[in-house]
Amino acid sequence: MKNTVVLLVVFLFAGTVWSQEVKNNKSAIDNKVAALLSKMSIEEKVGQMTQITVTNFEVTGKKGILDAAKLKEGIQKYHIGSILNVPNPGAQTIEQWKGVISTISTEANKTRLKIPVLYGIDAIHGASYTQGATLFPQQIGLAATFNTELVKKGAQISAYETRASSIPWVFSPDLDFPRNPAWSRMWETFGEDAYLSSKMAVALVEGYEGDGVGSKYQVASCMKHYIGYGSTTSGKDRTPSIIPERILRQYDLTIYQAAIKVGAKSVMVSSGEINGTPVHASKHLITDILKNELGFSGVVVTDWKDIIYLYTRHKVAESNRDAVKIAVMAGIDMSMVPEDFTFYTDLVDLVNKGEVPISRIDDAVSRILKMKFELNLFENTVADPKDYPAFGSEEHIEKAYQTAAESITLLKNKEAILPLDKNEKILVTGATANSMKYLNGGWSYTWQGENSDTYAADKFTILEAFQNKIGKENVLYTPGADLEIENDAEIEKAVALAKQASKIVLCLGEKNYTETPGDISNIYMSDSQIKLALALAKLDKPIILILNEGRPRLISDFESKMNAVIQCYLPGNEGARALVDIVYGEVNPSGRLPYNYPRYPNSLEKYNRKYTESISEGEQNDDAKYEKSYLPQYEFGTGLSYTTFKYSNIKIDKKEISSSDDITVSVEVTNSGSSQGKEAVLLYLSDNVASITPEFKSLKRFEKIELAPGETKKVSFTLNPQDLKFVNNDLKWISEKGTFTIQIGDQKADFLLQ
């Protein structure tokens, strides 16, 4: 007992010392920032707020080679504080990155105050602009794992490999909250649920930033795109949204709050507009809510050209100079200009003429300098590759494989057609069957990911993974269809080959894309692919449909004719290997859909719909046969396994609670099947009556567990008072007395809030 007390005292003392060290370090950085700021001219301050793309500094006609004179002009004359992007033509080796960052650092060290340049990169599913780096599933696939520890570990690896590239700042995580499945950036998000998105946001930020971004193995994160970006009424990228502030606070804002709470260092502002106001021009959203109400003390950076667009696209500014004034006064700290120095020249003029107060400039520059000190950039900006022996290692690759394996989602398995027998001859066909582009998607080696087959030539496509698993002699292949162009001869070839196989593996999906190049007007799977699916279905042979897509493209024209359906999302470089292991039963699938998969283009309800969005059987009558208004192809949370799980004995510790009480819920989960498997246990809550129409159900907790055949685990969750609240019309979070229903699997329990 005595030793226990001593150890406890030592532990508490160590914790106190550590806390004091953190406080002292924070105070020391604040002092350094203040001291440096006092020495800076207006021009040097405005330069810190200026971010330029690295391609601006390339030798004319020689892509990828930095022009010393151009770089000197940017750093010495315009005092730029940040550079972003990847040199042409795409992903660099870690040695090449070392050369780029060393050149920039050397030039910065020639300046009067020797302030380092902050380099940022779109490393959104691994160090995706570095050759040989480990690429994970895109964010929508991470959400499908429902495994925050696995996601956090992946972010740690991504941070490690990005720092190995001498880059300290990543434009991730994407905290957008998509409401239209046509939106081209849906796959960059965590899907349609705010709670799931919040937990995944925390996992990524904690993985990226660790215990401190000053470590040579951690990076500063950048939340994006604040706020409402995923709610465009048209479904097209960078188009207007109409979102009541009550809705923003109930959903979108909670995701950012969670990331800010765990220390996210920066935020990128949405390119869109809400209710007629571009977010880059909104003092209410950026300063009043983000900085003042939420207490965000990090750097607020624009997206690409978005201050310029206030003038040229949004038409809320009469000139570029006017746009700069509007954005900076709204609360922007750094402008991703990124291809000229107009922001710098206009802002210097605005400050000199008293139209932008120096206090606003000092606030912005203090935030930028603080992040640079926190990142230890004043000590070192260039990585030594010898410090990163695990870069691209088998250990890192294995973690990417595990993440892909837990993300891939089995949506249908009619008559247990899966897993397949390795002795069967199969036909692999479809437009996405034999390219790494469709496994990785955009932001992979290049902006649109079009060169993934070159950079990831040593990785398996879906076809190659099947050939590797069961031998080329057992795998027939033809493309069958182009993603867009109809080719009857190719379809006929696929049909002929299918007659020689016992099963068909049909790989359908989308091209690689992101942002505006990914805009579509039709969310159905392309006509060429539908035609192939229907032609193969006429053979009456079992078909396993493999979906390789960034958003749910409608498959209702032929889904009923498929024996099995697997959603891969964009699983990254190890995705095909994981997929084939699932198809042959070496891995038991455990992914779950992070969104509703719609059946029709005019029926896009979310799982947490309102009651008026569903017409139940009991509400129909003989005289009026209504189409059900809620009938998704697959619902949020859908995910099958090769084993079965039984839920039983749900219990709650209180039947009645006050508004300050927690409530603990438990349920027993049994693997009632014959194989080991993982199960994401999801807890939904329904507020049965409320003054703001309640949701049908809302996800409040989840936990992923693994069970052997016959094994039972008791899973417990604790709900707190905040879980019972909603935002009312006065923009206040409130809870109201009444009955609530908890649902876990097929188990339900009610409690009363007094």
Side-chain angles (χ1 to χ4, degrees):
M1 181 67 181
K2 183 178 179 181
N3 288 340
T4 302
V5 172
V6 170
L7 286 171
L8 180 59
V9 170
V10 170
F11 174 78
L12 292 173
F13 175 75
T16 302
V17 170
W18 179 83
S19 296
Q20 190 60 46
E21 285 181 357
V22 171
K23 291 178 181 177
N24 290 342
N25 184 54
K26 182 178 179 182
S27 178
I29 286 177
D30 289 341
N31 291 337
K32 289 178 181 178
V33 169
L36 182 54
L37 191 68
S38 68
K39 300 174 184 176
M40 297 174 69
S41 66
I42 289 173
E43 290 76 12
E44 287 168 328
K45 290 177 181 179
V46 172
Q48 286 299 302
M49 298 169 67
T50 304
Q51 186 182 58
I52 303 295
T53 175
V54 70
T55 54
N56 255 34
F57 304 116
E58 292 178 337
V59 175
T60 302
K62 294 183 179 180
K63 294 181 178 181
I65 300 174
L66 295 186
D67 185 315
K70 290 181 180 178
L71 190 63
K72 180 179 179 180
E73 178 187 43
I75 294 176
Q76 302 285 351
K77 180 179 178 181
Y78 294 103
H79 315 285
I80 61 169
S82 183
I83 294 176
L84 81 154
N85 215 348
V86 60
N88 283 306
Q92 310 284 291
T93 64
I94 53 174
E95 290 79 13
Q96 287 172 325
W97 273 124
K98 181 178 180 180
V100 169
I101 305 301
S102 293
T103 300
I104 293 168
S105 179
T106 298
E107 192 60 51
N109 281 329
K110 295 176 183 178
T111 62
R112 182 175 74 92
L113 295 175
K114 297 180 173 55
I115 300 174
V117 172
L118 174 61
Y119 206 104
I121 198 79
D122 285 289
I124 69 167
H125 67 125
S128 52
Y129 281 115
T130 302
Q131 294 181 37
T134 308
L135 296 197
F136 287 81
Q138 298 281 8
Q139 268 192 210
I140 198 67
L142 299 185
T145 69
F146 281 82
N147 187 336
T148 54
E149 285 303 310
L150 190 61
V151 169
K152 180 178 177 179
K153 180 60 180 176
Q156 291 170 341
I157 290 170
S158 298
Y160 178 101
E161 297 193 353
T162 303
R163 272 285 195 165
S165 313
S166 297
I167 299 172
W169 187 24
V170 297
F171 302 139
S172 175
D174 188 312
L175 307 188
D176 294 319
F177 190 54
R179 291 182 175 87
N180 191 319
W183 190 45
S184 60
R185 308 195 75 163
M186 184 173 184
W187 56 265
E188 296 182 53
T189 77
F190 294 121
E192 73 175 50
D193 183 74
Y195 177 75
L196 174 62
S197 297
S198 296
K199 301 303 287 186
M200 289 293 168
V202 167
L204 278 189
V205 171
E206 289 183 338
Y208 286 143
E209 299 191 350
D211 293 327
V213 296
S215 165
K216 61 185 176 183
Y217 302 120
Q218 309 296 154
V219 294
S221 65
C222 185
M223 308 171 288
K224 63 184 188 184
H225 306 84
Y226 179 86
I227 192 168
Y229 191 32
S231 300
T232 67
T233 54
S234 70
K236 304 293 178 66
D237 190 44
R238 288 179 164 85
T239 57
S241 301
I242 300 173
I243 316 171
E245 187 169 327
R246 194 192 75 76
I247 299 296
L248 275 178
R249 289 179 175 274
Q250 178 94 36
Y251 303 104
D252 305 63
L253 202 60
T254 60
I255 309 170
Y256 288 90
Q257 284 176 304
I260 290 168
K261 188 175 181 179
V262 294
K265 296 297 180 186
S266 62
V267 63
M268 186 181 295
V269 177
S270 162
S271 300
E273 62 180 69
I274 300 175
N275 307 332
T277 301
V279 182
H280 280 78
S282 177
K283 180 178 180 293
H284 177 61
L285 291 173
I286 298 173
T287 297
D288 298 345
I289 294 180
L290 179 64
K291 290 185 173 182
N292 295 339
E293 184 180 325
L294 299 187
F296 178 65
S297 60
V299 175
V300 178
V301 63
T302 76
D303 206 340
W304 188 272
K305 282 189 179 180
D306 274 338
I307 291 180
I308 295 171
Y309 290 152
L310 293 180
Y311 164 51
T312 61
R313 287 185 178 177
H314 294 289
K315 306 295 185 181
V316 296
E318 293 183 351
S319 64
N320 189 75
R321 184 179 184 277
D322 189 28
V324 170
K325 179 180 178 180
I326 290 170
V328 171
M329 293 307 295
I332 294 296
D333 300 318
M334 180 183 287
S335 173
M336 188 184 291
V337 189
E339 296 173 320
D340 57 42
F341 300 103
T342 54
F343 172 82
Y344 171 90
T345 54
D346 284 337
L347 186 52
V348 168
D349 184 59
L350 285 162
V351 175
N352 284 334
K353 292 179 178 176
E355 295 180 55
V356 171
I358 194 66
S359 59
R360 173 75 270 272
I361 302 301
D362 285 351
D363 170 60
V365 177
S366 294
R367 291 166 179 265
I368 295 164
L369 294 178
K370 178 184 176 184
M371 190 159 81
K372 290 185 177 185
F373 277 113
E374 288 175 333
L375 284 163
N376 272 339
L377 297 188
F378 286 86
E379 304 300 322
N380 182 37
T381 59
V382 182
D384 183 348
K386 293 179 182 177
D387 291 337
Y388 301 88
F391 176 87
S393 65
E394 287 301 317
E395 175 191 354
H396 287 186
I397 291 169
E398 176 62 20
K399 193 60 64 176
Y401 165 84
Q402 290 175 15
T403 307
E406 287 203 27
S407 73
I408 293 171
T409 305
L410 179 60
L411 297 173
K412 181 180 182 180
N413 193 18
K414 185 179 178 182
E415 298 176 354
I417 191 72
L418 295 177
L420 295 184
D421 185 333
K422 291 181 184 176
N423 295 316
E424 293 179 305
K425 180 171 285 190
I426 63 170
L427 168 67
V428 174
T429 189
T432 61
N434 195 28
S435 177
M436 295 305 299
K437 293 186 295 186
Y438 312 129
L439 293 171
N440 278 313
W443 300 118
S444 301
Y445 307 111
T446 58
W447 176 40
Q448 293 295 312
E450 70 276 10
N451 294 329
S452 287
D453 285 312
T454 299
Y455 287 108
D458 60 331
K459 301 297 181 179
F460 286 138
T461 65
I462 294 174
L463 170 65
E464 291 165 345
F466 273 105
Q467 291 172 332
N468 182 67
K469 179 65 66 176
I470 63 172
K472 289 185 178 181
E473 67 278 8
N474 291 315
V475 181
L476 303 170
Y477 169 70
T478 188
D482 180 82
L483 283 170
E484 298 297 337
I485 302 170
E486 294 186 38
N487 186 331
D488 289 342
E490 186 54 46
I491 289 176
E492 290 171 8
K493 185 177 179 182
V495 169
L497 278 176
K499 294 175 181 177
Q500 304 173 38
S502 60
K503 304 280 193 311
I504 301 167
V505 176
L506 177 59
C507 304
L508 305 183
E510 298 188 292
K511 68 177 183 178
N512 45 289
Y513 63 87
T514 188
E515 300 190 67
T516 305
D519 281 349
I520 54 174
S521 298
N522 179 359
I523 63 173
Y524 276 99
M525 193 68 73
S526 64
D527 290 343
S528 58
Q529 296 184 91
I530 293 174
K531 195 170 184 179
L532 173 64
L534 291 173
L536 291 170
K538 291 178 181 178
L539 296 175
D540 200 27
K541 290 202 174 194
I543 301 177
I544 294 88
L545 173 62
I546 308 296
L547 295 171
N548 198 190
E549 56 189 5
R551 56 198 158 195
R553 301 299 291 266
L554 305 192
I555 57 174
S556 50
D557 284 344
F558 58 89
E559 188 272 349
S560 63
K561 299 174 174 62
M562 303 293 107
N563 298 80
V565 180
I566 299 176
Q567 174 62 284
C568 288
Y569 314 98
L570 300 172
N573 277 343
E574 309 309 320
R577 197 158 57 94
L579 167 68
V580 172
D581 284 348
I582 286 172
V583 167
Y584 287 104
E586 294 175 21
V587 170
N588 198 343
S590 63
R592 286 180 179 263
L593 270 183
Y595 52 73
N596 267 8
Y597 202 117
R599 188 183 300 267
Y600 305 116
N602 247 20
S603 187
L604 305 178
E605 299 84 9
K606 306 308 175 191
Y607 88 92
N608 58 339
R609 62 206 182 273
K610 298 299 183 79
Y611 286 86
T612 51
E613 294 181 276
S614 296
I615 297 176
S616 67
E617 295 290 344
E619 291 177 303
Q620 296 184 20
N621 58 58
D622 292 336
D623 297 324
K625 296 295 184 183
Y626 303 115
E627 285 192 16
K628 290 183 181 179
S629 57
Y630 181 73
L631 190 64
Q633 193 79 60
Y634 308 105
E635 191 175 41
F636 173 94
T638 298
L640 304 178
S641 171
Y642 294 149
T643 192
T644 54
F645 296 97
K646 179 183 177 183
Y647 288 75
S648 61
N649 297 327
I650 189 169
K651 294 179 180 178
I652 55 177
D653 66 341
K654 304 179 188 76
K655 289 290 186 179
E656 295 185 6
I657 63 171
S658 71
S659 60
S660 60
D661 287 339
D662 289 346
I663 184 169
T664 299
V665 188
S666 65
V667 71
E668 292 181 0
V669 185
T670 301
N671 183 340
S672 53
S674 57
S675 58
Q676 184 150 326
K678 295 179 180 179
E679 172 78 342
V681 181
L682 311 184
L683 183 155
Y684 295 101
L685 184 69
S686 299
D687 185 351
N688 294 324
V689 177
S691 58
I692 296 290
T693 56
E695 298 166 311
F696 185 84
K697 63 179 180 179
S698 182
L699 183 71
K700 294 296 180 183
R701 295 289 184 273
F702 62 86
E703 181 180 342
K704 198 159 196 180
I705 60 174
E706 185 168 12
L707 296 172
E711 183 182 2
T712 298
K713 281 186 180 179
K714 184 178 181 180
V715 181
S716 296
F717 300 103
T718 298
L719 299 176
N720 59 51
Q722 182 63 32
D723 293 312
L724 312 185
K725 294 182 178 180
F726 59 88
V727 178
N728 69 7
N729 285 325
D730 295 324
L731 306 183
K732 304 294 184 184
W733 282 93
I734 66 165
S735 57
E736 296 174 338
K737 65 180 182 179
T739 303
F740 291 77
T741 300
I742 293 170
Q743 179 178 347
I744 308 176
D746 59 358
Q747 302 286 295
K748 290 185 177 183
D750 291 347
F751 65 91
L752 178 68
L753 174 62
Q754 295 175 332

